[in-house]
Amino acid sequence: MNLLELSCAPQHGAAPLAEQTVKQLLAGLPGWEIQGIELVKTFPFGNFHDTMAFVNALAWIAHREDHHPDMSVHYNRAVVRFSTHDAGGLTLNDFICAAKTEALLGRP
C-alpha cells in the first residue's frame, strides 16, 4: 500500500487499527514509534529557521488532509505526534500523514 497516494477520510465512530496492522504500517516508517496511542517521531534540524519551515509545511499538509498532529516545536527539532482522537487510537489517517511528513524531507 502506498500511503502517499491515499488521502485521509473522516473517522467518526471508527475503531482503532488492530495491533498487527499497526506493526505492518510502522515497518514502512523508519524512526517512527508508538507511544501509548500515538505515532511519534522527533525531527532534528540545524537551526530554528529550518525547524519552522518544516512545521509550516507540515501544517499545510495537515490542513489539506484535515488530520492534525500535536507538535512540540523547539529551536532545532520538532516532535510530531499523530493519533485519531475520534477513534481513541491509531487509524490509517495517522500513517498516511506520517508518510506525507517523511516526504517533506525527501524520504519515501
Side-chain angles (χ1 to χ4, degrees):
M1 167 183 335
N2 186 345
L3 295 170
L4 294 175
E5 294 177 357
L6 301 176
S7 294
C8 293
Q11 298 294 306
H12 305 294
L17 294 172
E19 185 176 341
Q20 183 62 29
T21 303
V22 167
K23 287 180 182 179
Q24 289 171 340
L25 291 168
L26 186 61
L29 294 170
W32 288 84
E33 58 185 36
I34 305 300
Q35 292 181 2
I37 61 168
E38 296 179 317
L39 181 59
V40 181
K41 185 170 181 179
T42 298
F43 292 87
F45 296 96
N47 56 57
F48 186 70
H49 179 266
D50 291 346
T51 303
M52 291 309 297
F54 169 79
V55 167
N56 285 326
L58 179 51
W60 183 82
I61 288 171
H63 177 72
R64 186 183 71 198
E65 293 295 331
D66 196 23
H67 192 69
H68 307 92
D70 288 330
M71 290 189 277
S72 300
V73 181
H74 309 273
Y75 171 79
N76 62 352
R77 71 190 181 287
V79 181
V80 179
R81 299 174 178 277
F82 284 105
S83 184
T84 303
H85 303 288
D86 287 342
L90 297 170
T91 65
L92 187 58
N93 286 355
D94 301 304
F95 290 90
I96 291 169
C97 285
K100 291 182 180 194
T101 301
E102 288 294 321
L104 284 174
L105 300 172
R107 301 173 187 158

